[in-house]
Amino acid sequence: MHGGKQGKLRVIFLLAANQSGKEKLSPLMIGRSKKPRCFAKSFPKMYKSNPKAWMTSEIFGDWLKGIDKEMAKKKRCILLFIDNCNAHSKFPALENITVTFLPPNTTSKLQHSIRG
């Protein structure tokens, strides 16, 4: 768009893996549409929607509960490092996941070191 505001269309992905990247948790996709036409034939395993396509504490909690159930089936316990975003502040009680928050103001530094 020339000379105007940039569009605010977005899609958010939540991805998580172990340190080596060999094991990946079920991804979460967040968009604005309740039933996007582009996924008519194959819908992502976990898709959530809200008007701004942002992560919310409810969406994050639902994703965590799903991962906790997966880990229970596999009889595994995991440690999950997350940033201290507002959407991550409230989540359900978990039996197979221990959550540890990254120190404040480190997310952008970690993202920069990964890209660089």
Side-chain angles (χ1 to χ4, degrees), residues 69-88:
K69 286 180 184 176
E70 280 184 39
M71 293 301 118
K73 287 179 187 175
K74 295 177 181 180
K75 296 182 180 175
R76 295 185 60 196
C77 291
I78 62 171
L79 172 62
L80 185 64
F81 291 98
I82 59 173
D83 64 357
N84 55 358
C85 145
N86 287 341
H88 301 159

Side-chain angles (χ1 to χ4, degrees), residues 24-29 39 42-48 63 66-67 70 73-74:
K24 298 166 184 76
L25 298 180
S26 297
L28 169 64
M29 181 178 177
F39 298 123
S42 62
F43 214 69
K45 183 177 179 181
M46 192 157 188
Y47 176 85
K48 299 287 183 176
W63 179 78
I67 298 300
E70 280 184 39
K73 287 179 187 175
K74 295 177 181 180

